[in-house]
Amino acid sequence: MTEWPPADPADASAVAQQRDELVAAVRDHAGQVAYQLARLEGGDYGQADIETDRGEWTVKYEGGDLEYLRFSPSRGSDTYVISTKQPPEPEPLAAALADYDAFVAGFNDYVASLDGVLDDVSTEFPEIATTDGVVAERDRVLGRIREVCDRIARELQRYEGGDYGTFTERINGTRWELKWDTDGASYLRVGGSSGLYLLSQYEPPSAADIREYAPQFADFVDAYNEHVEDLESDLGTIEL
């Protein structure tokens, strides 16, 4: 029979403390590798694989900080030397750290292999074409369209009253909508609710869209004028 109480379990605190000290030292050192990789790759997160004679090391970083350091030996299971979870067991840690110097040497060789790789890259680039002419023409055309739309908006407000309203017409089968308020034209939209905003408070349309729809704007103005003529004709039949 087993005597009671049994013998006291062995105290593992010394081994655990030594393990934790090694992991902390590796975290600080490998963190420098992660930082250099982040600078080299130019991103906030990523990873790199470094091969050695005994296996492969994977460094993963995020925000320039080391996220994990994994050793994958040629034979056997992976060991997460550094991770966001529990620390490794002492024996796998010892086996991994026996190859750590080779990992660092491999990383250094990788960085050295990139030395001078950009030396022959020229910074003599072609001249950039200016968009001044296109922008000026765009602004000229849209400025004239807005000027006309503001005038239509003021006339509609005089007739209809109120602080806002819309005027819609179909031009060549496509719906055109002018929305106005007390400041003038709010927007001119072509093609329904998901259509193109020829005028708006946001960015202007492309030059190709302006080229397509600006010639049709005259038809929209003609439709408005016909609308006004119809109103005048209706009022002309009233007798008091």
Side-chain angles (χ1 to χ4, degrees), residues 48-59 69-74 99-110:
D49 298 323
I50 305 296
E51 293 186 2
T52 66
D53 292 339
R54 297 185 182 183
E56 182 179 71
W57 291 79
T58 299
V59 186
L69 176 65
R70 182 181 65 214
F71 176 58
S72 302
S74 301
D99 194 54
Y100 185 78
D101 286 352
F103 155 67
V104 177
F107 172 75
N108 291 342
D109 289 344
Y110 169 65

Side-chain angles (χ1 to χ4, degrees), residues 1 30-31 53 73 122 130 145 158 166 174 191 194 200 206 223 233 235:
M1 292 181 61
D53 292 339
S122 174
T130 178
I145 291 175
R158 287 178 59 197
T166 58
T174 301
S194 60
S200 76
S206 68
S233 175
L235 290 174

Side-chain angles (χ1 to χ4, degrees), residues 14-28 93 97:
V15 176
Q17 181 178 354
Q18 186 180 19
R19 186 267 317 276
D20 293 344
E21 291 173 353
L22 284 171
V23 169
V26 173
R27 182 183 296 277
D28 289 342
L93 175 62
L97 293 186

Side-chain angles (χ1 to χ4, degrees), residues 150 153-154 156-158 161-165 179-186:
D150 284 343
R154 288 191 295 269
L156 289 170
Q157 186 179 24
R158 287 178 59 197
D163 294 334
Y164 58 88
K179 184 176 181 180
W180 53 269
D181 54 30
T182 55
D183 295 327
S186 178

